[in-house]
Amino acid sequence: MAVLLVTNDDGVHAAGLAALASALADLGEVHVLAPEREQSACGHALTLHRPLRVQPLRERWHAVNGTPSDCVNIGILGFLPERPALIVSGINHGSNLGDDVTYSGTVSAAMEGTLLGVPSIAVSLVDDGDLAVAGRVAALVAARVLVEGLPAKAFLNVNVPAAPPRGLRMTQLGHRVYTEKIVEQRDPRGRIHYWLGGGEPKWEVLEGTDMAAIHDGYVSVSPLHLDLTHHRALAHLTDWAGPLSSQLRRASRRAP
Ligand code: MN
């Protein structure tokens, strides 16, 4: 039976993690390795400057004093009885759509799995959604990935709507509209401080995006990859190398 690694960023005691682990139970030997505390919006952080401890909670369930990416590293690089056939991260409490995936610990766990060569899926559920439904979606997508595999360096970002899904769409990431301002306040001692993330988030609900799918009541599945190079920009800007090289040589000659 294939070994599956399940993790999340809401912490090892989150309801979404338990729902995911039980939904995947028929697909393989599920091992849970998850942060002992909530790590939402931790991004792709790795813990390199303190020891990581793995605490057994029950059979094949462990808490790690680290991030989702730490859990994936520990799982793949030797803690599990064998290399996992699949990593599933979630079920996150709240959606991970569009540009927000760059902050998401849930999505980062799938990125880390992909970097380490294991097919990976991130699963998130819109606020007030049904974990049982999201679990069924996760199991269907996971079963398909186990059979078909994924293209090299690609992983899947799955979002499940709050209402019973009308179907499933393959999507691209949408984009945020940055209308928010920081909130500036004074504390009782008169010092200024700031709050990020105030106000209602706004999105371009464009056809073919994850936002549009969720907006229309569909499950969204976005294939993502880790190549951050902007290949069109590279082609467009390649002429910069010559003049910048000359300037660099002149600047180096002038330097003492
Ligand atoms: Mn979270």
Side-chain angles (χ1 to χ4, degrees):
M1 221 181 185
V3 165
L4 311 184
L5 172 56
V6 168
T7 189
N8 74 348
D9 76 349
D10 295 333
V12 74
H13 302 294
L17 185 71
L20 181 58
S22 63
L24 299 177
D26 290 342
L27 298 180
E29 186 181 291
V30 173
H31 290 254
V32 173
L33 262 180
E36 62 181 8
R37 289 194 194 101
E38 184 181 347
Q39 301 280 332
S40 292
C42 69
H44 200 163
L46 269 188
T47 302
L48 301 176
H49 301 293
R50 61 175 175 79
L52 289 167
R53 298 192 196 283
V54 178
Q55 186 197 348
L57 298 180
R58 54 184 185 271
E59 202 191 354
R60 302 203 298 263
W61 274 70
H62 292 85
V64 178
N65 62 338
T67 66
S69 295
D70 294 333
C71 295
V72 169
N73 271 274
I74 288 172
I76 295 180
L77 302 177
F79 183 80
L80 296 181
E82 63 184 68
R83 195 176 162 80
L86 180 70
I87 293 170
V88 188
S89 174
I91 299 167
N92 190 59
H93 182 73
S95 60
N96 276 303
L97 296 163
D99 299 322
D100 284 357
V101 303
T102 54
Y103 311 110
S104 164
T106 306
V107 175
S108 289
M111 283 186 193
E112 191 67 19
T114 308
L115 284 173
L116 295 170
V118 178
S120 300
I121 305 169
V123 184
S124 304
L125 175 62
V126 173
D127 283 344
D128 301 324
D130 184 340
L131 279 174
V133 172
R136 279 198 291 279
V137 169
L140 287 173
V141 176
R144 184 129 193 136
V145 169
L146 281 170
V147 172
E148 306 256 342
L150 285 172
K153 303 271 171 75
F155 66 98
L156 300 180
N157 185 43
V158 178
N159 280 275
V160 179
R166 299 171 60 192
L168 181 150
R169 288 184 190 160
M170 301 302 297
T171 60
Q172 58 179 10
L173 292 182
H175 296 293
R176 254 186 191 289
V177 183
Y178 284 91
T179 53
E180 297 168 20
K181 290 202 169 73
I182 53 167
V183 176
E184 184 182 297
Q185 294 179 337
R186 255 173 220 284
D187 71 15
R189 296 188 179 86
R191 293 172 306 194
I192 287 173
H193 60 265
Y194 299 94
W195 288 91
L196 300 180
E200 274 293 295
K202 289 210 171 58
W203 294 91
E204 301 172 330
V205 182
L206 295 177
E207 204 179 323
T209 62
D210 52 355
M211 269 313 300
I214 289 297
H215 184 262
D216 295 344
Y218 286 77
V219 172
S220 164
V221 179
S222 302
L224 305 183
H225 71 151
L226 291 163
D227 180 1
L228 292 178
T229 305
H230 194 306
H231 291 279
R232 250 181 310 141
L234 177 59
H236 182 67
L237 300 178
T238 197
D239 295 346
W240 285 22
L244 283 171
S245 292
S246 314
Q247 284 172 295
L248 178 61
R249 278 193 295 272
R250 281 200 296 279
S252 308
R253 278 201 296 275
R254 278 201 303 274

